[in-house]
Amino acid sequence: GAVVSQHPSWVICKSGTSVKIECRSLDFQATTMFWYRQFPKQSLMLMATSNEGSKATYEQGVEKDKFLINHASLTLSTLTVTSAHPEDSSFYICSARVLAGGPDEQFFGPGTRLTVL
Amino acid sequence: GNSVTQMEGPVTLSEEAFLTINCTYTATGYPSLFWYVQYPGEGLQLLLKATKADDKGSNKGFEATYRKETTSFHLEKGSVQVSDSAVYFCALGATNKLIFGTGTLLAVQP
């Protein structure tokens, strides 16, 4: 089956530093990748949609300059949390979709737990 | 706007018990509806889906029926197993995006 990996699975950083999270589709090419954020006991909230080779589309209320997304290849997307602060602590999940796939044809990574001290 | 509401957990059941996890939605138009499952340490996996009213999605003994009149998509299973312990997410698909409910933790005890 289609496998999506995320690295790291968890990270702890100091306030003010930047953290990069990688999302890879291991056995298929993903033209579109999604980044979600999940708070405890809350639903997954879509942060942004990225298409390979173009700029990401951010959801309303998501700061583009804080959450930098790069989708440079068909198998890799990165999310960089810049100048992280404790309120950025959360569980970040990526998903990948193949070309012309419907909304349900997303394959999810296992998530990355970010803790900002 | 579009939204999904599902029952809060955790839901704790004994093996072979009947399972219902409620899910209702608010949407413009006619969205597709989904149930995803997340086992410990793994990514979300599509469990079942329904694309139009009165459709029934089914997989691995789980079922859910798209009820337009009650805007619901409740998940059911007749006899749960310990291996069904996971977090279950209801979701709707709109404009090529997925909108999720809060997730319901199911714990099945032997």
Side-chain angles (χ1 to χ4, degrees):
Chain A
V3 179
V4 175
S5 70
Q6 281 185 242
H7 178 79
S9 56
W10 59 270
V11 57
I12 301 172
C13 69
K14 293 182 179 180
S15 186
T17 61
S18 295
V19 174
K20 179 184 285 188
I21 302 170
E22 293 186 349
C23 176
R24 294 181 184 273
S25 55
L26 298 184
D27 51 3
F28 67 101
Q29 293 185 326
T31 53
T32 303
M33 288 186 170
F34 301 87
W35 286 95
Y36 296 84
R37 182 173 178 177
Q38 184 179 31
F39 293 98
K41 299 186 178 181
Q42 296 191 18
S43 57
L44 280 71
M45 303 299 295
L46 180 64
M47 298 174 64
T49 303
S50 71
N51 292 298
E52 185 265 337
S54 60
K55 289 184 178 180
T57 301
Y58 290 81
E59 296 298 301
Q60 191 173 7
V62 178
E63 299 177 59
K64 301 178 183 180
D65 295 332
K66 166 161 278 294
F67 300 101
L68 301 179
I69 292 171
N70 183 279
H71 191 166
S73 78
L74 288 172
T75 60
L76 174 65
S77 176
T78 61
L79 167 68
T80 301
V81 183
T82 62
S83 186
H85 291 285
E87 58 265 29
D88 299 323
S89 298
S90 191
F91 195 57
Y92 293 88
I93 300 173
C94 74
S95 70
R97 192 173 78 194
V98 297
L99 180 66
D104 57 319
E105 294 181 79
Q106 295 182 33
F107 302 98
F108 287 82
T112 297
R113 172 76 59 192
L114 170 64
T115 302
V116 184
L117 302 177
Chain B
N2 298 319
S3 66
V4 175
T5 302
Q6 65 181 102
M7 65 187 286
E8 287 193 26
V11 174
T12 303
L13 296 173
S14 298
E15 208 164 22
E16 299 184 2
F18 184 85
L19 168 71
T20 300
I21 300 178
N22 291 335
C23 171
T24 57
Y25 67 91
T26 302
T28 54
Y30 305 98
S32 294
L33 300 174
F34 311 91
W35 277 100
Y36 281 83
V37 59
Q38 185 176 32
Y39 298 104
E42 299 183 16
L44 275 73
Q45 302 172 26
L46 179 64
L47 180 60
L48 53 84
K49 68 177 182 180
T51 57
K52 61 182 187 299
D54 299 325
D55 267 2
K56 177 185 283 188
S58 61
N59 185 26
K60 299 181 181 180
F62 291 89
E63 294 183 338
T65 301
Y66 190 144
R67 301 286 188 198
K68 183 168 175 282
E69 62 277 10
T70 55
T71 61
S72 65
F73 193 55
H74 304 322
L75 182 69
E76 296 181 337
K77 186 174 185 181
S79 176
V80 294
Q81 305 300 312
V82 172
S83 57
D84 294 325
S85 298
V87 180
Y88 292 82
F89 292 89
C90 184
L92 69 82
T95 59
N96 279 333
K97 299 175 184 177
L98 289 171
I99 297 170
F100 288 90
T102 52
T104 302
L105 173 63
L106 170 64
V108 181
Q109 299 175 338

